[in-house]
Amino acid sequence: DVKVTQSSRYLVKRTGEKVFLECVQDMDHENMFWYRQDPGLGLRLIYFSYDVKMKEKGDIPEGYSVSREKKERFSLILESASTNQTSMYLCASSPQLAGTYEQYFGPGTRLTVT
Amino acid sequence: AQSVAQPEDQVNVAEGNPLTVKCTYSVSGNPYLFWYVQYPNRGLQFLLKYITGDNLVKGSYGFEAEFNKSQTSFHLKKPSALVSDSALYFCAVRDGRGSTLGRLYFGRGTQLTVWP
């Protein structure tokens, strides 16, 4: 089974702190994604990556950056956390294999910024 | 532009009754369509997908979905609902013309509640 793990299930940070959210997948997938999920807004794509050291902006990249130094790990960075970044953050991965486009999700990190 | 609409924020159904969760989509090329389920405080779990072939797709936990090209719909169905089906359901689409690098576009989700 595909396994996507995220470093924390729950995280509480203060405004202005630099926050790192880590995601690791064990299925050698090329593509990795970061979403945030808010009630009534569904999933919104922050960034994605299709190869090591490659990244693409999603729909809401402002206030975030990402790092992918190894194929299995994709990190989301909040440079200076703000209260409007309080949310559920979901990481996902998928293979670059024709016909297999579904994404596999981690359990999520619920981040609270106070 | 690619997009997904889930017209109902909430669907309520009695246990044992059939359930339908609606999804319509918009893509430029042929659509690849997906359904995911999310239980409380969990990540999304893949249920089923339509890529090509038979319009009726069967997935996990007894769910199925019907692709209707003329109505640009991909409704999720189950003949007999269970209380344990209560969860948040997401429809997603991507353009079939895209490469394997393509992203998915998700709907806003539909909260399904099955009461005993």
Side-chain angles (χ1 to χ4, degrees), chain B residues 32-109:
Chain B
Y32 294 165
L33 294 153
F34 306 82
W35 275 103
Y36 286 82
V37 60
Q38 185 181 35
Y39 298 101
N41 296 314
R42 305 285 295 275
L44 275 67
Q45 295 178 32
F46 170 72
L47 273 181
L48 51 79
K49 67 181 177 184
Y50 171 82
I51 303 296
T52 187
D54 194 349
N55 289 345
L56 185 64
V57 178
K58 294 188 183 296
S60 306
Y61 312 121
F63 284 94
E64 59 189 27
E66 185 166 14
F67 170 63
N68 187 317
K69 189 172 184 178
S70 63
Q71 296 185 5
T72 62
S73 67
F74 190 56
H75 300 332
L76 181 70
K77 299 181 180 184
K78 188 173 182 181
S80 179
L82 299 173
V83 172
S84 57
D85 292 330
S86 298
L88 187 57
Y89 290 82
F90 289 96
C91 182
V93 69
R94 61 159 285 172
D95 190 332
R97 298 175 305 172
S99 71
T100 54
L101 305 180
R103 54 172 286 186
L104 299 182
Y105 292 82
F106 285 84
R108 294 190 173 191

Side-chain angles (χ1 to χ4, degrees), chain A residues 74-89:
Chain A
F74 191 36
S75 302
L76 179 69
I77 304 154
L78 285 65
E79 297 291 341
S80 177
S82 64
T83 55
N84 63 12
Q85 292 179 309
T86 291
S87 186
M88 170 72 98
Y89 290 87

Side-chain angles (χ1 to χ4, degrees), chain A residues 39-71:
Chain A
L41 298 178
L43 272 69
R44 293 182 291 169
L45 183 64
I46 305 171
Y47 269 97
F48 64 103
S49 168
Y50 52 87
D51 200 352
V52 175
K53 297 192 186 294
M54 304 300 287
K55 62 183 179 183
E56 294 283 343
K57 291 181 180 179
D59 299 323
I60 52 164
E62 298 78 16
Y64 302 95
S65 62
V66 290
S67 172
R68 193 163 181 204
E69 297 295 319
K70 294 185 177 182
K71 190 176 185 180

